[in-house]
Amino acid sequence: MSPSPCTSSIIGTGSYVPERVLTNDDLSKIVDTSDEWITTRTGIKERRIAAADEATSDMATKAALRALEAANMKAEDIELIIVATVTPDMFFPSTACIVQKKLGAANAVCFDISAACSGFLYALQVARNFINTGTRGTALVIGAEKLSSLINWKDRNTCVLFGDAAGAVVLKRVCEGEADAPGRVLSTVMGSDGNLVDLLKVPGGGSACPITAENAESRPNTIHMEGRETFKHAVTRMSQAAEQALELAGLQKSDINMVIPHQANARIISAIADRLGLPEDKTFMNLQKYGNTSAATIPVALDEANREGRIKRGDVLLLVAFGGGFTWASTVLRW
Ligand code: ACO
């Protein structure tokens, strides 16, 4: 197959985190944990918690508005909105349709993607396929989560890990004559292993296990996780995906200027950096401030790296994620 003459370019980034900060010391007053344990095992120091009346779509809309402003585009210019989330406002309509309404993006086709922490990279690849094939010319790709709504605040194994946030990018079709456009997506690889669904899940609240008066007490509608197993699979799959995405882009590890990994655990990130032979200053990390915000971690980190000047035009960026499913993905960008 001859390569498509057109490609997708990220022309704006934006992010939003809620105001309320929940520190490790705050958590140690709720469950049997300590700042020392959480910091050593995860690298997380604090996380943001959305207000009771702040839904995933509210955070997504704020991040999207910032990305639109950075791209110098209006909401009506957007032809596709994909929201990656496991904490939608409601089962239906999609959070993307709610964001469409809040933005006034009347010309967009809208839907959600559920791939847990890999959701943003899955959504980016879906949008890229729409754009490269000419089905749509512009897209808003958003990763947004209110994970605090899925947390059992009595379970110290999980409640210390997660937070709330949203990040967004504006994607645009670029064709011949714009071969050096900034923010180009060079390659993406994706994978899934449904045999491991039970290692990380929210078992209740869906059609398999609706919440009833009888089961509500055991909190099936909260995150259940086998931490150690998840950790091992995350390191293996993310390292493999990163190497495959680089190869697909025709690049070497030494070409990478910055890795922007899913922000779950500092030890997972160090293990991946080691396997890729990259020094710490080429690995972006902000999980100390926000914890694991699932589909939001990568677009929030990309936006921060961009606005802080940590990445510059022409840099090779490697994005890599892993999450429930299990799912994993890696994307290479030429910034
Ligand atoms: N505070 C204090 N002690 C705790 C806490 C806590 N918050 N949580 C667990 N412990 C205890 C455990 O009970 C256990 O005690 P025991 O030895 O008496 O049984 C001990 O600490 C060690 O527990 P482990 O689970 O073995 O600790 P580990 O070093 O594996 O760290 C962690 C746990 C941080 C969850 C780690 O396994 C991890 O990060 N896994 C990846 C999971 C993840 O990030 N999932 C998110 C989605 S997927 C993804 O984003 C990659």
Side-chain angles (χ1 to χ4, degrees):
M1 209 170 80
S2 59
S4 163
C6 294
T7 186
S8 303
S9 190
I10 294 176
I11 59 164
T13 64
S15 61
Y16 169 81
V17 295
E19 250 172 60
R20 186 180 156 212
V21 176
L22 185 70
T23 66
N24 292 347
D25 286 333
D26 294 333
L27 277 169
S28 69
K29 291 171 191 136
I30 308 173
V31 285
D32 181 15
T33 190
S34 64
D35 175 49
E36 198 270 333
W37 192 97
I38 302 170
T39 305
T40 323
R41 301 290 179 123
T42 72
I44 299 165
K45 299 294 286 181
E46 58 189 39
R47 68 287 294 141
R48 299 299 180 99
I49 304 294
D53 61 354
E54 195 173 33
T56 295
S57 67
D58 295 314
M59 295 188 280
T61 301
K62 286 181 177 153
L65 284 170
R66 287 173 187 168
L68 284 169
E69 189 186 8
N72 201 18
M73 287 180 87
K74 296 192 292 292
E76 307 88 74
D77 299 331
I78 296 297
E79 297 171 11
L80 172 70
I81 299 175
I82 309 180
V83 175
T85 187
V86 291
T87 49
D89 285 20
M90 51 191 92
F91 278 132
F92 73 89
S94 69
T95 301
C97 281
I98 301 170
V99 170
Q100 174 188 32
K101 179 185 171 195
K102 289 179 177 173
L103 288 175
N107 300 310
V109 165
C110 309
F111 56 90
D112 291 356
I113 278 189
S114 170
C117 305
S118 310
F120 177 75
L121 294 187
Y122 269 50
L124 191 63
Q125 174 68 349
V126 172
R128 181 183 175 222
N129 286 338
F130 269 86
I131 285 180
N132 288 12
T133 55
T135 313
R136 289 288 181 279
T138 55
L140 248 177
V141 182
I142 305 169
E145 303 284 9
K146 187 175 176 177
L147 290 175
S148 58
S149 65
L150 294 181
I151 287 171
N152 176 354
W153 294 105
K154 291 183 177 156
D155 177 12
R156 70 176 183 173
N157 290 298
T158 54
C159 76
V160 301
L161 302 176
F162 301 100
D164 303 334
V169 301
V170 176
L171 213 57
K172 184 172 178 264
R173 182 173 164 87
V174 292
C175 297
E176 276 160 71
E178 300 172 288
D180 64 345
R184 273 170 300 136
V185 182
L186 302 184
S187 68
T188 293
V189 298
M190 298 156 76
S192 314
D193 186 354
N195 288 318
L196 300 172
V197 286
D198 288 329
L199 295 182
L200 178 55
K201 63 182 178 184
V202 175
S207 59
C209 174
I211 301 304
T212 61
E214 289 72 38
N215 70 16
E217 183 71 15
S218 65
R219 306 296 316 278
N221 58 333
T222 57
I223 297 170
H224 290 56
M225 182 181 73
E226 299 292 334
R228 254 184 241 181
E229 279 303 302
T230 302
F231 189 105
K232 281 191 274 181
H233 287 283
V235 172
T236 307
R237 292 301 191 181
M238 287 166 91
S239 307
Q240 284 169 349
E243 288 182 1
Q244 289 164 359
L246 267 182
E247 194 183 334
L248 196 59
L251 295 169
Q252 313 288 323
K253 291 174 189 168
S254 54
D255 294 318
I256 300 173
N257 297 100
M258 185 69 80
V259 176
I260 301 187
H262 172 49
Q263 307 284 310
N265 185 312
R267 292 186 292 140
I268 294 178
I269 293 176
S270 302
I272 293 162
D274 275 358
R275 291 197 184 191
L276 292 173
L278 291 176
E280 256 180 36
D281 64 345
K282 287 192 173 182
T283 311
F284 191 85
M285 197 146 69
N286 62 5
L287 59 77
Q288 64 281 5
K289 296 187 288 182
Y290 308 131
N292 181 348
T293 58
S294 192
T297 66
I298 289 183
V300 169
L302 182 63
D303 184 50
E304 280 198 4
N306 188 24
R307 287 174 195 261
E308 288 169 8
R310 295 273 306 274
I311 51 178
K312 58 181 193 308
R313 175 123 194 230
D315 278 358
V316 171
L317 311 184
L318 187 132
L319 318 180
V320 60
F322 180 87
F326 286 139
T327 58
W328 55 90
S330 181
T331 295
V332 178
L333 304 176
R334 173 76 69 180
W335 202 241

